[in-house]
Amino acid sequence: MHRSLRSWLPWLCFALALLAAPLAFPQSAALSLLSQMGTMVLLCLSYNMLLGEGGMLSFGHAVYSGLGAFGAIHLMNRIGDGSIHFPITLVPLAGGLVGALCGIVFGYLTTRRAGTTFAMITLGLVELVSAGALMFPDLFGGEGGISSNRVVGEPVMGISYGPQLQVYYLIAGWLLVCAVAIHALKHTPLGRILNAVRDNPERAAFIGYDPQRVRYLALILSAFFAGISGGLSAINFEIVSAEYVGALRSGSILLFTFIGGAGFFYGPIIGGVVGVLFASLLSAYTQAWQFYLGAFFILVVMALPGGLAKLVDNLVRVVRARALDAALVRLLAGLALSGLLALAGIVLGTEMLYQLSLGSLADTGSGVAPVVLFGLSIDVHSVSAWLLAVVLAVAGVGAIACLRRSWAASWSAAWKRVELSEQAQRREAA
C-alpha cells in the first residue's frame, strides 16, 4: 500500500500543479501562456514515445499534430454551422483519431527503415505535407489557414469555452489523462519490447518480435497523442495554418524534447515549458530569441547530454543521499554567479550587435537606436558599453574555468557517496 501511494504521489502533485497554476497566474496573458505550455508538453510527450522509448529520430512529428489540428478545426466549423452535433470537449479526441489515421498511412512507409534512413524519410514527409497544405487551399486554407469559433451551442454546466480559463482547464485535463496513458504504455509489453527494439533490434527479432511492426504500432500511438495536442491547439487559437505541419515546428518539437531530456519521462515536460518560455515569453523582449534558444540547446547538448531532467535527477539523488555538503553548495553558487556574469556579457554584446545589424539594414542615416535592457538605454556606439560586455563575458567564463576543477573533485566525491548510499538501500531491500 505504501509503495502504491508513493507511485501515485507524483501524479497527485502534477494534478495539483495544473489545478493551482491559474490561481498563481490569473492574468489573461499568463493563462494563454499556460495553455500553450500544456499543448506543447503533450506534443513533446508524444514525440518522446518515438525518440526516448523507441530510439526513432523523427523530423516530421508536426505532421500528425498539424493534420489533427486541421481535422479538429473542420469539425468545429461543422459544429458551428449545425451540420454535426458534437461536444467541444471531445474535439481533441477527433484530432487524435485523425492523427492516428495519418500515422497508419504514413507510418507504414516511414517505419520500414530505421536509424538515419527513418529520419531522412520523415524529413521528406514533412516537406511533402507542408507543400501539399499550400497546394489544396480548400482543405487547408492556403497561407491564411482556417479559422473557427470554439464558442458554439449552448453552454453545458456554464462551460462555453469562451473564457481563457475554461480553455486552460480543458487543456490541463486532457494533458493529465494523456500523460497518465503515455506513462502506462511504457510499462505494457509493447512499451517493454519497444525499448528492446531500441537497444537491440536483432535480439528482439530473434525472440520472435518484428521490429518494424513494433515501431509501426508505437508511431500510430504517438501520432494519436500528437493529434490530441493539435486539436487542443485548434481550440486554443481558433485558427490552424500550414505552419502547423511545417519543418520548423517539427524542429522545435525535437529541440524542446532534447533540451528537457529524452531519457526521462518528465524530461519532455520540462522541455515543453522551457521551449514555450523561449518562443513566447522571451520573444516579447528580444527579436534575437532564436539565437539564445540555439545557444542554449548547444550548451545543453555539450554540458548536459541527458538534458535538464538529468541535472534535476542527479541533484535529487545527491540530496537524498545527504551528499550535498556546504562546500558543494558554495561551488554551485559560485558557478551559478559566474554563469550569470557570462550570460550578462553575452546578452549585452548580442543585443548591441543585433541592433547594429538592424540599423545597417535600415540605412536611414538617422543613426542606430539604442538598446534597452532592464529599463536602461544603452548606446550601441559607446566604447564603454562594448568594454563592459567583454569584461562581463571574460570574467564569467574565467571564473567558471577556475572553479571547474574544484567542482569536478567535489562532485565526484559526492557522487561516490550517492552510489554507496544506493547500494546500501538495494542490499536492505533485498
Side-chain angles (χ1 to χ4, degrees):
M1 183 65 179
H2 177 68
R3 182 177 298 179
S4 177
L5 288 175
R6 187 171 58 184
S7 64
W8 280 101
L9 183 60
W11 291 111
L12 179 60
C13 294
F14 185 47
L16 291 176
L18 292 175
L19 189 65
L23 302 179
F25 306 99
Q27 301 86 358
S28 178
L31 288 175
S32 177
L33 193 65
L34 290 172
S35 300
Q36 293 178 55
M37 287 180 182
T39 56
M40 182 53 70
V41 164
L42 179 54
L43 191 51
C44 290
L45 283 172
S46 70
Y47 180 71
N48 203 47
M49 294 177 66
L50 300 179
L51 180 63
E53 301 300 322
M56 302 161 64
L57 178 62
S58 172
F59 292 115
H61 199 62
V63 167
Y64 307 109
S65 65
L67 293 178
F70 275 110
I73 205 82
H74 280 296
L75 178 59
M76 289 168 63
N77 285 332
R78 299 293 78 76
I79 296 172
D81 60 24
S83 302
I84 299 175
H85 297 284
F86 195 81
I88 292 294
T89 306
L90 298 181
V91 165
L93 182 61
L97 294 176
V98 173
L101 179 62
C102 295
I104 292 172
V105 176
F106 298 139
Y108 181 77
L109 300 174
T110 58
T111 57
R112 298 182 73 85
R113 295 291 184 270
T116 305
T117 307
F118 170 80
M120 294 299 101
I121 294 174
T122 59
L123 181 60
L125 175 66
V126 73
E127 293 293 345
L128 178 67
V129 175
S130 181
L134 297 176
M135 291 171 61
F136 302 99
D138 292 338
L139 187 60
F140 298 102
E143 294 182 356
I146 299 175
S147 60
S148 183
N149 183 10
R150 64 181 180 234
V151 184
V152 292
E154 294 295 328
V156 179
M157 299 177 62
I159 299 175
S160 64
Y161 296 116
Q164 186 63 40
L165 180 63
Q166 295 180 3
V167 176
Y168 165 77
Y169 278 121
L170 174 68
I171 294 173
W174 274 104
L175 172 60
L176 181 61
V177 171
C178 293
V180 172
I182 293 172
H183 186 268
L185 282 169
K186 282 168 55 71
H187 303 285
T188 61
L190 175 61
R192 297 301 188 189
I193 200 63
L194 180 63
N195 295 155
V197 168
R198 174 197 63 194
D199 298 333
N200 197 326
E202 291 82 8
R203 181 168 293 183
F206 180 76
I207 62 176
Y209 291 94
D210 184 0
Q212 188 272 333
R213 183 174 297 178
V214 173
R215 291 193 296 265
Y216 184 37
L217 292 174
L219 189 140
I220 293 172
L221 291 171
S222 175
F224 172 73
F225 291 111
I228 291 178
S229 174
L232 291 170
S233 295
I235 294 174
N236 185 35
F237 293 109
E238 299 179 291
I239 186 172
V240 180
S241 65
E243 295 178 357
Y244 274 63
V245 295
L248 181 60
R249 185 169 175 82
S250 292
S252 299
I253 300 167
L254 172 62
L255 218 66
F256 300 161
T257 306
F258 259 111
I259 288 173
F264 297 84
F265 178 77
Y266 58 89
I269 298 176
I270 299 175
V273 172
V274 171
V276 171
L277 287 176
F278 268 100
S280 298
L281 191 61
L282 188 61
S283 62
Y285 295 95
T286 173
Q287 293 179 319
W289 66 271
Q290 290 179 318
F291 170 82
Y292 298 120
L293 177 61
F296 184 64
F297 174 71
I298 294 172
L299 178 64
V300 169
V301 171
M302 293 182 63
L304 296 168
L308 297 178
K310 181 66 174 179
L311 175 63
V312 173
D313 182 73
N314 286 345
L315 290 176
V316 168
R317 291 169 67 182
V318 168
V319 172
R320 188 180 298 168
R322 298 179 181 179
L324 190 64
D325 54 16
L328 196 62
V329 171
R330 286 195 297 269
L331 285 170
L332 186 60
L335 285 172
L337 181 60
S338 303
L340 288 176
L341 284 176
L343 179 63
I346 292 171
V347 169
L348 180 58
T350 301
E351 293 299 319
M352 290 193 297
L353 278 173
Y354 191 76
Q355 195 69 19
L356 280 174
S357 68
L358 292 179
S360 63
L361 288 174
D363 195 20
T364 58
S366 58
V368 182
V371 172
V372 179
L373 287 176
F374 304 107
L376 299 176
S377 180
I378 301 172
D379 183 8
V380 296
H381 295 294
S382 172
V383 177
S384 59
W386 286 100
L387 184 62
L388 176 62
V390 172
V391 169
L392 287 174
V394 171
V397 173
I400 292 174
C402 292
L403 293 172
R404 184 177 179 181
R405 183 171 298 179
S406 299
W407 166 260
S410 298
W411 181 258
S412 178
W415 198 249
K416 289 181 180 178
R417 293 173 59 184
V418 171
E419 292 176 343
L420 291 174
S421 175
E422 292 179 350
Q423 288 175 4
Q425 291 177 1
R426 284 193 293 267
R427 283 195 299 266
E428 291 178 359

